[in-house]
Amino acid sequence: MAAMLIEAAARVPEVEISLYCESNDEATRDYKNRMIAPLRDLLALTKWVASVDFITFEHEHVDLELLKAVPGIEAKLRPNSTCVAISQDRELEKKTFQRLSIPVAPWCTLGSDINDVPSKSEALIPGIVKTATHGYDGKGQVSVSSKEHLTAAMACLVGHRCVLEKRIPFLREVSQVSVRSLDGTMQHYPLVENIHRAGILSVTKAPAAAYSELAQNFTSRLATDLDYVGTLAVEFFVMDDGLLANEWAPRVHNSGHWTIEGAKTSQFENHLRAVAGLPIGDCTAHQPTTMWNIFGCSRSDAEAVVQAVKESHPKSSLFLHWYGKSPRPGRKVGHITICEEANSATNQAIAAQVDRLQITE
Ligand code: ADP
Ligand code: MG
């Protein structure tokens, strides 16, 4: 995502990006203004922090204690460290949603003692055990369908604080990507529908039908309460009678990648604008748009699929983004955006080839 933020910076002349990378990240290796050092290298980090005006991040799994050890970081961090702390921890995240009267699936905390199964847990089976921290793309999750399963899952995850959530028979999954500026102005992209494959986002369709106003209301409530600055995303389960919040991300989001071609201002440009204290741009969509993730697939295979679809559908409005990462099963290496209705012939042609583009094992 850092590469897409760098790309967006070309449209925001007020912003110059300086990257701090923990490793020789393949996707940003051609970017000149880049420092490579471990986060725990406090000398390097302190020097870098002093050299920039504002700090943001591409993922929220950063060691907050470490960051707090660096002078001046808190004042420059956008979004702020409370947002990072809450989004890192599923228990805190759910408590925050509940404090703000945003409904969530029934849940409970599981301690690390497998003999100490909370009495409440029986009512949450069938359910999903999730590690409280460090989960992404379905990792750190185990489905449980009986009490015995739950004990086995807890034994597997021993040493990790976890939550148990009831398995929700949702109608659909949607996410709200929104932006909040330094002065508190909030703008919302259209609500989108997300379809997952093996826990990984497979397709995003913009716009999604129903409950858009409710999703925007919940997202504004969260962002305002946390004095959030930047682009954020909240994932919801759609129920017959409303929405349940699943999780949120204090950053640009995979379900917002479609905005690069599909909206007047992309989520990346708007994140930079908000973080730099500039007014945010228009979030209106140009037209319905679909985004297909590419994972585990080689660049040549992705290009071959796109080329074939372009040849058979010469009028299609289709864009391939390749992240410059080496593929391995389940690793997101690119995405395809199609600026057409979700059921267009181009989308159907990509859907027919999706097994070649999305490889998980
Ligand atoms: P991640 O951080 O991996 O995205 P999520 O909590 O979003 O974690 O879970 C990944 C996917 O697993 C969700 O998008 C949804 O499809 C499914 N899932 C997660 N929690 C539940 C639940 N309580 N009930 C039903 N499906 C769920
Ligand atoms: Mg998720």
Side-chain angles (χ1 to χ4, degrees):
M1 304 225 236
M4 286 185 268
L5 284 166
I6 291 168
E7 234 173 80
R11 285 184 295 280
V12 193
E14 297 90 336
V15 170
E16 190 193 334
I17 292 186
S18 168
L19 282 186
Y20 191 97
C21 295
E22 280 230 272
S23 61
N24 186 9
D25 172 47
E26 296 167 285
T28 57
R29 77 186 137 206
D30 294 333
Y31 190 66
K32 299 275 175 300
N33 200 358
R34 190 177 80 141
M35 176 158 185
I36 302 173
L39 263 190
R40 59 178 186 282
D41 181 345
L42 290 188
L43 213 63
L45 190 56
T46 305
K47 206 168 140 201
W48 179 80
V49 167
S51 75
V52 299
D53 298 318
F54 309 108
I55 299 168
T56 194
F57 41 85
E58 66 166 354
H59 68 77
E60 60 277 23
H61 302 298
V62 286
D63 183 341
L64 277 175
E65 289 311 310
L66 209 57
L67 290 191
K68 281 181 187 156
V70 177
I73 205 162
E74 184 73 52
K76 294 183 179 182
L77 197 62
R78 293 179 182 173
N80 63 54
S81 63
T82 307
C83 299
V84 181
I86 292 170
S87 64
Q88 274 182 356
D89 185 328
R90 292 192 193 273
E91 197 180 344
L92 257 181
E93 183 176 50
K94 288 176 193 304
K95 285 181 176 163
T96 305
F97 283 137
Q98 288 177 317
R99 177 173 62 77
L100 297 170
S101 306
I102 301 172
V104 297
W107 68 286
C108 72
T109 305
L110 299 176
S112 43
D113 180 357
I114 62 165
N115 298 314
D116 184 18
V117 182
S119 53
K120 199 177 164 190
S121 59
E122 242 169 277
L124 302 177
I125 294 172
I128 301 173
V129 178
K130 301 181 181 180
T131 54
T133 57
H134 289 99
Y136 71 98
D137 286 349
K139 294 188 173 64
Q141 300 192 10
V142 183
S143 263
V144 289
S145 50
S146 66
K147 222 175 145 185
E148 293 69 38
H149 251 159
L150 175 61
T151 316
M154 284 172 76
C156 268
L157 295 165
V158 81
H160 296 276
R161 186 164 47 90
C162 292
V163 296
L164 169 64
E165 268 176 49
K166 198 171 171 61
R167 177 169 284 286
I168 299 299
F170 52 75
L171 299 174
R172 279 184 304 282
E173 289 188 85
V174 293
S175 59
Q176 179 62 52
V177 177
S178 305
V179 198
R180 187 169 182 271
S181 68
L182 197 58
D183 70 5
T185 309
M186 194 88 202
Q187 278 216 40
H188 303 282
Y189 289 100
L191 185 70
V192 297
E193 178 175 352
N194 299 317
I195 297 164
H196 293 82
R197 186 182 241 235
I200 307 172
L201 180 63
S202 166
V203 194
T204 293
K205 298 175 187 177
Y211 294 124
S212 154
E213 237 175 81
L214 188 60
Q216 295 181 0
N217 176 316
F218 287 157
T219 306
S220 291
R221 207 180 292 175
L222 178 71
T224 306
D225 180 79
L226 300 176
D227 198 15
Y228 190 89
V229 176
T231 296
L232 75 157
V234 186
E235 298 177 10
F236 297 98
F237 299 137
V238 179
M239 311 300 289
D240 274 331
D241 56 351
L243 298 172
L244 295 179
N246 174 29
E247 59 170 358
W248 77 292
R251 52 170 164 78
V252 288
H253 195 253
N254 195 176
S255 70
H257 288 5
W258 66 275
T259 61
I260 297 174
E261 291 89 5
K264 288 192 175 162
T265 317
S266 79
Q267 64 160 352
F268 300 98
E269 179 176 344
N270 262 338
H271 186 67
L272 294 178
R273 298 186 67 82
V275 165
L278 300 167
I280 48 185
D282 193 345
C283 292
T284 310
H286 295 301
Q287 70 285 304
T289 301
T290 303
M291 190 247 9
W292 298 85
N293 261 337
I294 301 173
F295 35 87
C297 157
S298 73
R299 180 175 193 160
S300 53
D301 274 5
E303 284 176 348
V305 168
V306 167
Q307 195 50 37
V309 172
K310 276 186 173 166
E311 277 165 21
S312 56
H313 301 80
K315 288 196 178 139
S316 65
S317 178
L318 179 152
F319 305 87
L320 171 65
H321 294 254
W322 187 259
Y323 305 157
K325 297 179 179 178
S326 20
R328 57 168 185 262
R331 185 184 201 197
K332 293 171 184 165
V333 287
H335 71 266
I336 293 168
T337 306
I338 301 175
C339 296
E340 297 169 19
E341 295 281 351
N343 63 358
S344 74
T346 320
N347 272 304
Q348 288 176 27
I350 291 290
Q353 297 292 324
V354 75
D355 287 344
R356 283 180 69 190
L357 298 169
Q358 300 184 343
I359 297 163
T360 53
E361 52 193 43

